[in-house]
Amino acid sequence: MKILITAGPTREPLDPVRYLSNRSSGKMGYALAEAAREAGHEVILISGPVVISAPAGVTLVQVETARQMYEAVRDRLEGQNAAIFSAAVADYRPASQAEQKIKKTGDTLTLTLEKTEDILGSARSVFGFTGYLAGFAAETERLLEHAQDKLVRKGCDLVIANDVSQAGIGFDSEENEVTLCLPDASPFPLPRQSKAVLARELIAFITQQASLKKLF
Ligand code: PMT
């Protein structure tokens, strides 16, 4: 089947040399892309700036900002059988970008931020996506409650709940430990494992679920 995957962080510029971002390394999303390719799927990987290389055989689309990732997803989602949103997209960006480097003038500096585009939240409601929709929920508290809320609010078939408060899993680590949240089933915890092994499990699960729903 055709799978679109988002990965990595976004960078939201403040001035020509500074930006707001987060600690996503892209490892989880790139592992998903590799596992999907290995399973014989056609993969589009839309990635924020990372230092790792894209797996062979995957179509890589590189973006920097949340707006660019939104546009890249919007332009490529049609015709995909499944989409997995693992990117850590900035929820807010500086409301304005200074043309010159901001000078150190006062003891404090107040930034005004504005909301970015909600890419996952737009998949169904704005882009009209009808394929299998999987999102992540990266949470530091009330993990399953927030994940269930995202599942319903964003029209997902699956939310992969990721406790990012624990050392050694989540952002910029080799391993991950997640719980699968589905609309009509109890949350299903998976063991802590390498992102490569987890990615293969997730791709196998998503392929089976998409096939049951006759989406490819
Ligand atoms: O990249 P790694 O270092 O390997 O780390 C992996 C990870 C921790 C980044 C990954 O496993 C993960 O949890 N990704 C989701 C990160 C996140 O920002 O989650 P969130 O709960 O803020 O967002 C919920 C969902 O909406 C996610 O699917 C996200 O991709 C999507 N989203 C969020 C904001 C936005 N403006 N647009 C979106 O599409």
Side-chain angles (χ1 to χ4, degrees):
M1 64 177 171
K2 294 183 175 182
I3 306 188
L4 180 148
I5 297 170
T6 70
T10 63
R11 287 181 182 170
E12 309 304 325
L14 193 52
D15 70 14
V17 296
R18 303 185 179 99
Y19 53 80
L20 299 182
S21 192
N22 59 66
R23 293 191 295 109
S24 169
S25 63
K27 287 176 191 165
M28 189 68 248
Y30 278 52
L32 285 164
E34 183 154 26
R37 186 70 203 104
E38 274 171 17
H41 301 305
E42 211 176 296
V43 182
I44 298 176
L45 175 60
I46 299 178
S47 175
V50 296
V51 295
I52 52 178
S53 305
V58 160
T59 302
L60 176 68
V61 181
Q62 290 171 296
V63 299
E64 285 241 343
T65 64
R67 181 173 290 142
Q68 289 168 0
M69 188 172 278
Y70 175 88
E71 288 168 358
V73 171
R74 179 197 63 199
D75 294 348
R76 291 168 181 83
L77 200 52
E78 197 182 335
Q80 299 296 309
N81 305 102
I84 311 172
F85 290 77
S86 72
V89 186
D91 288 325
Y92 291 89
R93 68 177 149 241
S96 63
Q97 185 185 343
E99 275 181 29
Q100 307 301 333
K101 184 181 168 211
I102 298 169
K103 302 303 290 176
K104 186 169 60 177
T105 47
D107 288 340
T108 60
L109 173 68
T110 304
L111 295 177
T112 302
L113 305 180
E114 65 179 19
K115 258 191 187 160
T116 58
E117 297 76 10
D118 182 349
I119 308 168
L120 177 62
S122 303
R124 298 272 191 237
S125 59
V126 181
F127 308 149
F129 182 59
T130 53
Y132 192 87
L133 185 61
F136 274 74
E139 308 291 347
T140 56
E141 54 163 0
R142 309 204 328 252
L143 177 66
L144 296 184
E145 190 184 319
H146 288 308
Q148 294 289 352
D149 172 62
K150 280 178 182 155
L151 185 71
V152 176
R153 228 169 4 95
K154 304 195 179 200
C156 294
D157 296 295
L158 168 68
V159 166
I160 301 153
N162 203 166
D163 181 349
V164 290
S165 68
Q166 285 188 53
I169 62 168
F171 284 88
D172 199 15
S173 57
E174 297 307 316
E175 294 186 323
N176 211 354
E177 183 179 338
V178 301
T179 298
L180 306 187
C181 296
L182 297 136
D184 304 317
S186 304
F188 186 76
L190 296 177
R192 180 171 173 155
Q193 52 199 330
S194 74
K195 285 180 176 170
V197 174
L198 171 62
R200 277 183 229 127
E201 271 188 40
L202 290 173
I203 292 298
F205 181 77
I206 288 167
T207 305
Q208 181 218 40
Q209 295 289 307
S211 160
L212 285 173
K213 287 176 183 275
K214 302 199 188 317
L215 292 171
F216 71 101

